[in-house]
Amino acid sequence: MRRFVAPLGIIYIVALVLATTARPVSSAQPLDGMQIFRFDTFGDEQLWTKELRMHEVIASSVSPKTALAVGLKVDVDVLPPALIAALQAGQVDLTDPAVTVELLRLNAVVDVSARVDDRGNLASVGITCALCHSTVDNSFTT
């Protein structure tokens, strides 16, 4: 019986030490999850950009007015103050697809993650979880 007690005691002590000094498996913070939800496309740019070429369609044909009408959302908190002032003054053409590209460059479109190159061309687009699983408070309207 003694032969079993000693190993069990050692196992118990090792388990106790591990339980009191163990770190969580992940060091992810809640903000990491929010970033993933808001910006990660899980690689779906392959479909939207390479196969369907939606970056070309958006850049040439999708105005902010159209994007909002189909349910895309804008994060007003990331808009620069000068753009907010211009929107409030009616100085931004919400029928111009170039404005949509600029909103994408600013990461202001909640549902879509995009890459705009140095020349201002929409290079890729992907859809994030936020497309189906987020709402906005409509705190800013023009």
Side-chain angles (χ1 to χ4, degrees):
M1 180 79 162
R2 279 184 159 201
R3 290 188 337 197
F4 295 112
V5 172
L8 287 176
I10 292 172
I11 291 171
Y12 176 76
I13 290 171
V14 168
L16 185 61
V17 167
L18 289 175
T20 58
T21 62
R23 294 186 194 137
V25 173
S26 171
S27 63
Q29 300 295 316
L31 288 177
D32 294 339
M34 291 188 323
Q35 287 292 104
I36 290 168
F37 177 82
R38 172 72 167 77
F39 296 107
D40 200 329
T41 63
F42 299 97
D44 72 0
E45 295 91 344
Q46 298 292 323
L47 172 66
W48 299 110
T49 303
K50 292 187 179 183
E51 299 298 323
L52 300 176
R53 303 173 68 117
M54 288 302 293
H55 65 299
E56 295 170 3
V57 174
I58 291 168
S60 67
S61 306
V62 180
S63 69
K65 194 172 202 168
T66 300
L68 292 169
V70 299
L72 295 182
K73 300 168 279 291
V74 173
D75 182 356
V76 71
D77 293 334
V78 301
L79 297 178
L83 180 54
I84 291 174
L87 285 164
Q88 290 171 328
Q91 298 171 336
V92 177
D93 182 0
L94 296 178
T95 63
D96 184 356
V99 176
T100 303
V101 173
E102 179 60 15
L103 291 171
L104 288 166
R105 187 188 68 75
L106 292 169
N107 285 325
V109 181
V110 174
D111 323 281
V112 179
S113 183
R115 187 174 59 79
V116 178
D117 67 20
D118 294 337
R119 296 182 315 218
N121 297 317
L122 189 56
S124 69
V125 294
I127 304 300
T128 70
C129 297
L131 178 66
C132 299
H133 305 285
S134 69
T135 59
V136 293
D137 62 9
N138 294 323
S139 64
F140 180 82
T141 59
T142 58

